[in-house]
Amino acid sequence: FRRWTEAILPGKHTTGAAVTRRTTDNRPEDSYEAVTASRAGEAVMLDTTPLDVLCYDPVEDITYTTELTIAIDVASRSILAWRFKPFGTKAADAGALIGDAMTPEPMRPGWPDKLRHSALKLACEPLLSLDERYAAAAARPVVFPEKIIIDHGKAFASQAVKDACRRYGISVQDARAYRPTDKPQVEAAFKTIRSGFSQHVAGYKGYKVDQRGRQAEQHARWTLSDVEYFFAEYVLSVYQRRHHAGLVLPGFAGLKLSPNDAYRILVHKSGYVACPADPNLYLELLPIQWLAIQHYGIQYNYLQYRAPVIKKLAGVKSPYLEMGGRWPVRVDPSDVTRVYFHDPYARPPDPSWHVIPWIHALKGVEPFTDTTLREVKKLIAGRGRDVADQKEIAETVIELQNRTDAPETWLARTRKARLRDSERARAAALDRAGTELGGTGAGDAKAGGGDAPAPALRAVTAGTNDEEEFDIDFDTIPAYEVWGAKPA
């Protein structure tokens, strides 16, 4: 039957795998148009794909999938930035990805010196070495994008990405719907990552369901932070340094080039465009919410935020007259227990960026996402309570978080919700650590800016006039086995 079908309908693939049939049917009938670029940053492609590796969370004892979002430079085929997000990529993640492409990648502990940024051997390396960021940077190209090419994904077609591009004068080009041939470079990069990285990591689950083994979940042993570390090392030590068969520069037709080689030649040919050196780039690229400052602070999505820095601006109309007197407030959906406010009237040495915490952020509430907030509001509305009651919201959040702590009430949905919140809060804390706010916590309202890092834990011996302090060596404390109600 298949032979007769192929004879009657040649090349249609009417039988076989559904993925093959969809791919074949989606081929454009017109000729392919090559996307070319002659200098670094002229065209940068952004796209997301499910990572073919299962991650493991030892706290919740579950495996889960994650999405990989990358930005690739068309001219040099260099991977400029990457983001791993469990359970979907948000608009804020896509906006932060653009900022990552313009920010040097820091060296990780244990990496050899050959992975430092100086190994790129750029002509402008003496000037870059004056920037302290490049002194501890890894050998990943830093590019100022002129144009980004995106598909019609919800995260990329968001207002946050448009605001980020408008902020830095980056043009946006949309690929046609269901046309992967409009961005072939990033699709080819995903295929290379699958064969060169994913299939060599424990927990590889295959590209399709019919290729997955029987016990793929039992082989997963790496957390998401481990996979991020492995991928960063793979990009710098393998992908950027291997010869790329499809990488051809004008005038170098017979020369085998790696992405690092192509980037070095393009910088020498077209020059280096300096990227923004503002450490608060992550904050500027967050989604903006235009809110009014009231006597109780500011309110976003039924949550009230308060800090002394905005108390003086209560009832004051903002200088942005076209916004009706409202102020721009940056909101990170990965952690809604705080928002970020830029004071336009601040003068040095006063900080211009401030963390505005939720009024119940210090009362036993762990960081949570906007998705968890929607679930909390549904629970409150279902009980017939007021969804604007701050105390009710805090109690419901604590109840929801404690429910996932109790093993007897663990469900797949609650475990995934807890995992989603913890991983996104961890990523938001890492991004915030690179800004002038540093590793600030929920107590930032006390100083109106960033708190100093928490002091090391010390023990104090009582009973003496001058209380003698000594450090605790946690390595000397014996660890006791905890019975988990499971047979040996």
Side-chain angles (χ1 to χ4, degrees), residues 76 118 131 133 167 169 173 185 213 239 298 377 423 441 451 453:
S76 64
S118 57
D131 191 342
R133 300 180 304 163
R167 171 71 173 80
Q173 176 179 326
Q185 285 82 359
Y239 181 89
I298 56 179
K377 291 190 294 184
E423 286 294 342
D451 284 348

Side-chain angles (χ1 to χ4, degrees), residues 309 312-313 327 341-354 436 448:
V309 67
K312 60 182 180 180
L313 299 176
W327 295 82
F341 177 73
H342 181 266
D343 187 4
Y345 304 115
R347 295 295 181 266
D350 297 335
S352 58
W353 282 97
H354 304 271
E436 67 178 15

Side-chain angles (χ1 to χ4, degrees), residues 69-87:
T69 306
I70 66 172
I72 185 170
D73 179 42
V74 174
S76 64
R77 305 296 197 276
S78 298
I79 297 180
L80 305 177
W82 53 86
R83 289 258 168 172
F84 291 86
K85 290 299 177 180
F87 314 113

Side-chain angles (χ1 to χ4, degrees), residues 219-290:
H219 296 160
R221 64 185 64 182
W222 304 116
T223 63
L224 183 58
S225 59
D226 294 332
V227 174
E228 290 176 347
Y229 182 92
F230 297 152
F231 183 79
E233 187 173 6
Y234 161 76
V235 171
L236 297 177
S237 61
V238 179
Y239 181 89
Q240 288 292 127
R241 302 174 63 185
R242 71 176 184 87
H243 291 162
H244 199 299
L247 182 54
V248 179
L249 298 181
F252 301 91
L255 186 62
K256 293 183 178 180
L257 297 174
S258 67
N260 281 346
D261 296 334
Y263 176 69
R264 184 184 308 113
I265 295 175
L266 291 174
V267 169
H268 181 76
K269 174 185 175 182
S270 304
Y272 179 82
V273 179
C275 296
D278 187 4
N280 300 314
L281 181 61
Y282 161 72
L283 301 175
E284 293 184 1
L285 296 180
L286 287 176
I288 299 177
Q289 299 292 334
W290 293 91

